[in-house]
Amino acid sequence: AVAGSTVELGCGAQGDPAPRVQWHKERGDLPWGRHEVDQEHTLRLYAVMPADAGTYVCTAQSQLGTAAATARLRV
Protein backbone atom coordinates (compact mmCIF):
# COMPACT_ATOMS: atom_id res chain seq x y z
CA ALA A 1 0.00 0.00 0.00
CA VAL A 2 1.07 3.58 -0.54
CA ALA A 3 1.68 5.61 2.62
CA GLY A 4 -1.27 7.92 3.29
CA SER A 5 -3.79 5.72 1.46
CA THR A 6 -6.77 3.76 2.80
CA VAL A 7 -6.48 -0.03 2.91
CA GLU A 8 -9.39 -2.50 3.07
CA LEU A 9 -8.92 -6.06 4.31
CA GLY A 10 -11.94 -8.34 3.83
CA CYS A 11 -13.01 -11.18 6.08
CA GLY A 12 -15.77 -13.45 4.79
CA ALA A 13 -17.21 -15.14 7.87
CA GLN A 14 -20.75 -16.49 8.01
CA GLY A 15 -22.73 -19.13 9.80
CA ASP A 16 -25.85 -19.89 11.81
CA PRO A 17 -25.67 -18.52 14.40
CA ALA A 18 -23.57 -15.69 12.97
CA PRO A 19 -20.00 -15.83 14.26
CA ARG A 20 -18.40 -13.06 16.29
CA VAL A 21 -15.65 -11.53 14.17
CA GLN A 22 -12.63 -9.67 15.52
CA TRP A 23 -9.54 -8.18 13.92
CA HIS A 24 -6.14 -7.77 15.55
CA LYS A 25 -2.58 -7.16 14.48
CA GLU A 26 0.16 -9.65 15.25
CA ARG A 27 2.85 -8.03 17.40
CA GLY A 28 1.04 -4.73 17.75
CA ASP A 29 -2.23 -2.89 18.01
CA LEU A 30 -4.64 -1.70 15.36
CA PRO A 31 -3.89 1.95 14.49
CA TRP A 32 -5.56 4.06 17.19
CA GLY A 33 -8.24 6.34 15.70
CA ARG A 34 -7.44 5.28 12.13
CA HIS A 35 -9.36 2.05 11.68
CA GLU A 36 -12.92 0.74 11.53
CA VAL A 37 -14.70 -2.54 10.88
CA ASP A 38 -17.95 -2.46 8.90
CA GLN A 39 -21.01 -4.75 8.94
CA GLU A 40 -19.37 -7.11 6.41
CA HIS A 41 -16.33 -7.46 8.73
CA THR A 42 -14.06 -5.46 6.39
CA LEU A 43 -11.20 -3.78 8.22
CA ARG A 44 -10.37 -0.29 6.93
CA LEU A 45 -7.09 1.36 7.83
CA TYR A 46 -6.90 5.08 7.09
CA ALA A 47 -3.79 7.12 6.28
CA VAL A 48 -1.54 4.07 6.51
CA MET A 49 2.08 4.56 7.47
CA PRO A 50 5.12 2.26 7.56
CA ALA A 51 4.42 1.41 11.22
CA ASP A 52 1.10 -0.17 10.12
CA ALA A 53 2.91 -2.81 8.06
CA GLY A 54 2.57 -6.34 9.40
CA THR A 55 0.20 -9.27 9.65
CA TYR A 56 -3.47 -8.71 10.45
CA VAL A 57 -5.64 -11.56 11.71
CA CYS A 58 -9.39 -11.98 11.32
CA THR A 59 -10.88 -14.42 13.84
CA ALA A 60 -14.45 -15.75 13.60
CA GLN A 61 -15.83 -17.52 16.65
CA SER A 62 -19.14 -19.31 17.26
CA GLN A 63 -20.49 -22.23 19.26
CA LEU A 64 -19.17 -24.53 16.53
CA GLY A 65 -15.58 -23.38 16.84
CA THR A 66 -13.05 -20.79 15.73
CA ALA A 67 -11.52 -19.99 12.35
CA ALA A 68 -8.83 -17.46 11.53
CA ALA A 69 -7.32 -15.93 8.40
CA THR A 70 -4.35 -13.62 7.98
CA ALA A 71 -3.42 -10.81 5.63
CA ARG A 72 0.03 -9.24 5.33
CA LEU A 73 0.28 -5.51 4.73
CA ARG A 74 3.33 -3.79 3.27
CA VAL A 75 3.53 -0.01 3.25
Side-chain angles (χ1 to χ4, degrees), residues 17-58:
R20 186 172 61 102
V21 176
Q22 292 183 306
W23 279 96
H24 73 273
K25 183 180 179 189
E26 284 186 353
R27 293 187 278 285
D29 296 320
L30 293 174
W32 180 255
R34 295 186 296 110
H35 78 276
E36 70 176 7
V37 179
D38 67 16
Q39 292 286 74
E40 285 80 42
H41 313 299
T42 299
L43 172 65
R44 276 189 196 82
L45 305 172
Y46 298 102
V48 295
M49 54 187 65
D52 298 329
T55 302
Y56 291 80
V57 182
C58 169

